Amino acid sequence: MTPVVGASRALRAQFFVLGVMFATWGVHVPTVKGHYGLGDQALAIAMLASGVGALMALAQAGRVVGRWGPRTVSAAMGVLCCASVACLLAWPHYAALLAVMLVFGITGSLFDVALNTEATEIERLAAKPLMSGFHGMFSLGGMAGASLGSAAPALGLSPQAHLLLATGIGAAVALLASRAMLPVPEKEAGETHPLSLPRGPLVLLGLLASMGLIAEGAMYDWSVLFMKDERASQPSTAALAYASFSGAMALGRFGGDWVRARMSGTRLMRASGMLAAAGMALALALPSPLAALLGFALVGLGLSNVVPVLFSAASQVPGVSPAHGIAAVSGVGYLGMMAGPPLIGLIAERASLATGLLVVVVFAVFMALSARRAMRGH
């Protein structure tokens, strides 16, 4: 087995761990709320602490990954990310939760940038598209983490026992897998740019990533409620909204590298945006719950390769290291992911949730129309 093949397998395991950690946190949001006796506002502030930590980390991620290399950063941040999730219920004080969430945001973001930087290096050495498949493992990890969390009570696991089990295995896998990752190239190690801020072509790439993540976050946060309130679906049917979207997204990512090998980035971004827009329009236009589920699946399929394509493009911007390019685009994208759900909620409160979700259609069309300019030279 060649070093590139070994590194590719190790990286897939790392992306899987990252997906499991985010899903494990998501599963335990109600548990955390009950453990600390929080209201919605206090819980939102705790989530904001994670976002603040992520933005703090992304501002320095290019320098950190460039200095220490993806292998070292992924090993350290992978273990610390798992440890922060393990500590979600460790203390009774709200201040401790805020500190844990801040660390989770910092370590999770640095872990993410390190993995995507390694992914671009493996793509370069393998001379073929691989990024979508790596992100597919993140999606698969999210599904696995959510499934384990749902099954934990039936298995007799307390919330803290489940956290320790999931994070213990995750930390061990992250640490072992990092040993097979590629060493950092010398040109990367010497870079000392102070901040990973978007400039030049990275501005538009970051804007498109932000729009893609707003649309993705809208599906995660609002699709089930849309089925329940706007389509009068039973809870069991409404729950399928999340499953149809995430399942289609995982499927699209695992097939995305095959598509990217046969289609230019411009054409793929254009097709992705139009497919996502058509899917959301279908879900909003027809009153049938089945049409909504089909529409959500098309949105997932359309958005599945947006972030992998944009990250690959960001890693190839002339004069910018892959780590800095990815961190810059990630930072703008993360801002969108944080701002998106409140934006849709505000529109929904003033008009309706269906009106709020029109944002997804508008942003998807903008991605399609901007594809040529954003992907110029890639």
Side-chain angles (χ1 to χ4, degrees), residues 20 24 27 143-153 155 157 162 165-166 169:
V20 169
T24 301
V27 165
M143 295 171 68
S147 298
L148 178 59
S150 299
L155 297 174
L157 294 174
H162 167 242
L165 175 64
I169 295 174

Side-chain angles (χ1 to χ4, degrees), residues 44-344:
I45 292 173
M47 292 179 177
L48 181 61
S50 173
V52 170
L55 291 176
M56 290 169 54
L58 288 169
Q60 297 290 331
R63 184 182 66 83
V64 172
V65 176
R67 171 66 179 85
W68 299 102
R71 182 165 63 182
T72 300
V73 174
S74 67
M77 294 302 106
V79 171
L80 289 176
C81 180
C82 293
S84 65
V85 176
C87 292
L88 283 172
L89 305 175
W91 297 284
H93 305 296
Y94 181 59
L97 174 64
L98 294 178
V100 167
M101 293 303 296
L102 184 70
V103 173
F104 177 56
I106 292 171
T107 56
S109 296
L110 287 172
F111 191 24
D112 186 32
V113 172
L115 297 186
N116 280 287
T117 303
E118 175 84 354
T120 62
E121 179 67 9
I122 291 175
E123 269 198 333
R124 185 185 68 81
L125 294 174
K128 62 180 181 180
L130 294 170
M131 182 71 79
S132 293
F134 292 137
H135 282 249
M137 291 301 295
F138 174 86
S139 298
L140 189 62
M143 295 171 68
S147 298
L148 178 59
S150 299
L155 297 174
L157 294 174
S158 66
Q160 186 62 62
H162 167 242
L163 287 174
L164 292 175
L165 175 64
T167 58
I169 295 174
V173 171
L175 192 58
L176 290 173
S178 68
R179 299 175 62 184
M181 293 173 69
L182 299 172
V184 61
E186 299 235 350
K187 63 178 182 179
E188 297 280 334
E191 293 197 309
T192 57
H193 296 300
L195 295 174
S196 294
L197 298 176
R199 58 187 184 275
L202 292 173
V203 175
L204 183 55
L205 293 174
L207 178 62
L208 295 186
S210 177
M211 290 183 171
L213 288 172
I214 287 174
E216 187 175 334
M219 292 295 95
Y220 287 128
D221 292 335
W222 297 108
S223 61
V224 174
L225 189 63
F226 174 83
M227 290 289 290
K228 181 182 176 183
D229 291 353
E230 301 285 336
R231 295 296 178 260
S233 301
Q234 295 297 318
S236 58
T237 303
L240 293 176
Y242 179 90
S244 65
F245 171 77
S246 59
M249 173 164 276
L251 183 64
R253 283 179 168 172
F254 282 120
D257 292 324
W258 184 88
V259 175
R260 287 178 60 208
R262 291 158 176 80
M263 184 182 292
S264 69
T266 299
R267 290 178 61 195
L268 180 55
M269 280 292 296
R270 187 176 295 147
S272 296
M274 294 311 297
L275 182 60
M280 195 71 250
L282 174 66
L284 296 176
L286 299 183
S288 166
L290 182 61
L293 293 177
L294 176 60
F296 293 153
L298 292 177
V299 175
L301 198 60
L303 295 178
S304 59
N305 290 295
V306 168
V307 170
V309 169
L310 292 175
F311 278 11
S312 289
S315 72
Q316 300 170 37
V317 173
V320 180
S321 75
H324 281 83
I326 291 169
V329 171
S330 295
V332 179
Y334 202 91
L335 279 173
M337 188 167 62
M338 288 196 300
L343 170 64
I344 293 173

